[in-house]
């Protein structure tokens, strides 16, 4: 993967401003159209495979939350960006190996992909060692897909209990619905599980379905292609 490569309508400041405004407008329209929608929805730029320049254009256009999938790629891009824009929050939205927990805790502000006890233990240990207390999201494999990250829905209750007992701050739930299925039932399941467990944040919805997610109560939508253009990776 070449991180500097991107194919984007919005590399220039003005184009990016227009793109961000359009997505914010779509979020707001969806929010107003549903009684289930949250009061506020965070637009998270899913910036995997995007270069520093385009990410900075997006920050200048007003986006303050970004998600990266790989620790290594984030380490190559984000220390420089964070030095310039200290207000930005960096979320880890891809799978995390427990042996990378230390690096993740040092760089990220929010971990959205917590799904295994071993990872919970590693995160808790690293947060204590580094004196950091990051909000975490439990990723739920709502489609119970074989290869997919996330805890199975039937195991989520016990897993959330494990996280809390270990001292992890479970701020939210996150899901990536199966490709080729209607996303709405998956979003509904995630929202129901969050309500059952007293969890307030819901990270759900991507470029093709963020409006549905907002109508169903998303507090964070993770938008890549609709914001940055198609990826070339
Ligand atoms: C890439 C990615 C997104 C954004 O996907 P788009 O379809 O480009 O909007 C959101 N969430 C996760 C976990 C991703 O890996």
């Amino acid at each position: 993967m070449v991180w500097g490569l991107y194919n984007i309508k919005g590399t220039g400041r003005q184009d990016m401003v227009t793109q961000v405004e359009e997505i914010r407008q779509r979020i707001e329209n969806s929010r107003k159209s549903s009684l289930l929608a949250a009061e506020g929805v965070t637009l998270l730029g899913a910036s995997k495979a995007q270069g520093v320049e385009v990410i900075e254009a997006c920050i200048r256009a007003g986006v303050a939350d970004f998600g990266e999938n790989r620790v290594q790629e984030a380490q190559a891009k984000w220390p420089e960006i964070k030095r310039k824009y200290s207000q930005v929050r960096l979320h880890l939205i891809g799978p995390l190996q427990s042996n990378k927990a230390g690096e993740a805790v040092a760089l990220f502000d929010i971990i959205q992909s917590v799904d295994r006890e071993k990872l919970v233990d590693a995160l808790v240990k690293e947060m204590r060692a580094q004196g950091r207390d990051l909000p975490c999201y439990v990723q739920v494999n709502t489609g119970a897909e074989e290869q997919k990250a996330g805890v199975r829905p039937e195991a989520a209750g016990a897993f959330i209990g494990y996280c809390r007992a270990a001292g992890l701050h479970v701020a939210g739930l996150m899901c990536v619905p199966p490709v080729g299925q209607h996303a709405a039932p998956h979003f509904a399941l995630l929202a129901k599980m969050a309500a059952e467990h007293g969890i307030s944040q819901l990270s759900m919805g991507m470029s093709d379905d963020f409006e549905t997610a907002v109508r169903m109560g998303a507090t964070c939508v993770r938008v890549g292609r609709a914001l940055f253009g198609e990826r070339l990776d």
Side-chain angles (χ1 to χ4, degrees), residues 82-229:
K82 280 189 147 192
R83 267 194 296 278
K84 281 198 242 173
Y85 301 96
S86 56
Q87 79 279 15
V88 167
R89 285 177 298 269
L90 185 61
H91 304 236
L92 179 63
I93 61 174
L96 176 59
Q97 293 172 317
S98 22
N99 63 8
K100 293 262 176 68
E103 291 162 79
V105 166
L107 180 62
F108 289 88
D109 301 293
I110 292 150
I111 312 276
Q112 292 205 4
S113 50
V114 178
D115 65 355
R116 299 179 319 282
E117 293 184 357
K118 191 176 170 201
L119 177 59
V120 174
D121 297 345
L123 285 170
V124 168
K125 183 165 161 249
E126 286 297 339
M127 286 189 211
R128 290 212 175 108
Q130 298 185 31
R132 281 168 68 73
D133 184 18
L134 310 189
C136 291
Y137 288 41
V138 167
Q139 182 172 353
V140 183
N141 182 359
T142 55
E145 291 173 278
E146 207 52 60
Q147 301 295 332
K148 193 118 183 210
V151 60
R152 297 282 173 120
E154 66 275 14
F159 182 70
I160 291 163
Y162 183 90
C163 293
R164 286 173 167 161
L168 204 72
H169 172 198
V170 182
L173 299 182
M174 186 268 247
C175 76
V176 181
V179 173
Q181 285 187 22
H182 289 294
H186 297 275
F187 296 158
L189 175 61
L190 200 71
K192 177 169 167 276
M193 292 174 56
E196 278 170 10
H197 296 286
I199 293 171
S200 61
Q201 307 294 303
L202 278 174
S203 174
M204 55 191 201
M206 315 195 331
S207 290
D208 294 331
D209 51 28
F210 69 85
E211 288 156 305
T212 303
V214 168
R215 284 194 292 268
M216 305 191 73
T219 59
C220 172
V221 292
R222 310 179 308 268
V223 180
R225 289 166 299 124
L227 193 55
F228 298 110

